[in-house]
Amino acid sequence: TRVHRSSRVIFAIALVCLSNSAQAREPTEGASLWTGCTADFFSPAYYERYAACRAYVIGIADVLTAGDSVAGRKACIPKAASKADITEKVVAWLEASPDRRNDALAHALVAEAISTAYPCE
């Protein structure tokens, strides 16, 4: 459907942005996502890195909102949740899970963080 195509386009753009980041390793590694999501505000690449992080998170959120699963996870994100709220919840979860950042792929971490923050009842 149209929503699924736009979600996939956003997701693809986010992957390209992450892969173009100067300090990013593999674009699908959790550590690379963490680097982008916590970029130093005063660094020259802050906006690029944080935008890539946010686009990646929102791409996953869009897929989950459409009712699809990501890495075996589902979530029920309320319509009132803003993109900033979702991103902040993911970053907070990543911050609280330092051991997971280095062991898992970014899409699995984001899906886990979102499904933890917005579980389906």
Side-chain angles (χ1 to χ4, degrees), residues 92-117:
W93 186 90
L94 288 169
E95 183 174 21
S97 309
D99 54 322
R100 302 274 293 128
R101 292 192 303 253
N102 295 318
D103 294 344
L105 298 176
H107 74 280
L109 293 174
V110 172
E112 186 174 349
I114 292 172
S115 67
T116 299

Side-chain angles (χ1 to χ4, degrees), residues 36-59:
C37 292
T38 58
D40 179 14
F41 181 76
F42 297 105
S43 75
Y46 169 78
Y47 293 105
E48 175 186 337
R49 290 185 184 144
Y50 188 76
C53 163
R54 187 167 172 165
Y56 194 90
V57 168
I58 297 309

